Amino acid sequence: MTDQEIIFKTQQFVQETLKDAEGGHDWFHILRVWNNAKLIAKSEEVTLFIVELGALLHDIADAKFHDGDETVGPKIARAFLESLHVNKETVLHVERIITNISYKGGNFKQTFTSPELDVIQDADRLDAIGAIGIARCFNYGGFKNRAIYNPAIEPKLNMTKEEYKKSMAPTINHFYEKLLKLKDKMNTVAGKKIAEERHLYMEGFLEQFYGEWNGEL
């Protein structure tokens, strides 16, 4: 089986697996991350095959939808890739990408690094900011029945990984707890450039939001 045939079968598998997923973590999220990863990869020295597989499988079983179990995604990815007889080194690399890509409150220390992970992580983080990031943020907040905003509940800027995973804070708090931090956590030159623009868009949104909330606009 050629690399392109494996990519095609992986695309089909992910699209079918996530057909009923929450709107911010569905197939279209994967598609955007996949496209962003391929774009960023053009200016990086990476193995594109691993970038594509990692991007396609990075959220195959997001822990937040599996009772916080972070082992489900890597296990599913490994079993699928092994069923296609992908070589062991590639399977292990993709598995490690999935394990280490997530933000997890910003206090998570990666146990693995690679240029391919850097590219996919940037692509994933880009989808969490800007206009689409805002839409995803409020979609997930609604999915979890969280308040939009409560001025009495201040953002927690230094949560542990467990606090972050269990947080039920208002959606606006998430901007300060994660989204506005991502610009400075990008790995690649291309990722940083795109993040700058999307970060400014979020700042403009928040300014408009508070103006409307306070009856000033």
Side-chain angles (χ1 to χ4, degrees), residues 66-130:
H66 292 270
D67 298 320
D69 189 342
E70 297 171 11
T71 68
V72 179
K75 285 178 182 176
I76 291 175
R78 170 175 282 277
F80 172 74
L81 293 175
E82 287 179 342
S83 77
L84 299 182
H85 306 292
V86 175
N87 70 73
K88 292 180 180 180
E89 292 78 12
T90 297
V91 173
L92 180 59
H93 197 156
V94 171
E95 195 174 24
R96 286 173 169 170
I97 285 170
I98 297 168
T99 300
N100 287 274
I101 193 171
S102 182
Y103 182 73
K104 298 183 178 75
N107 293 314
F108 168 69
K109 186 175 182 179
Q110 289 181 196
T111 58
F112 171 78
T113 60
S114 74
E116 290 79 12
L117 171 56
D118 285 347
V119 167
I120 300 165
Q121 192 172 62
D122 278 9
D124 187 37
R125 287 175 173 176
L126 285 174
D127 206 53
I129 59 179

Side-chain angles (χ1 to χ4, degrees), residues 1 4 26 35-36 44 50 61 71 88 99 130 145 147 153 159 183 190 200 215:
M1 192 179 298
Q4 282 308 113
D26 58 3
N35 287 332
N36 276 334
E44 300 291 323
I50 291 175
T71 68
K88 292 180 180 180
T99 300
N145 198 31
I153 302 175
M159 287 186 283
K183 173 179 69 69
L200 288 174

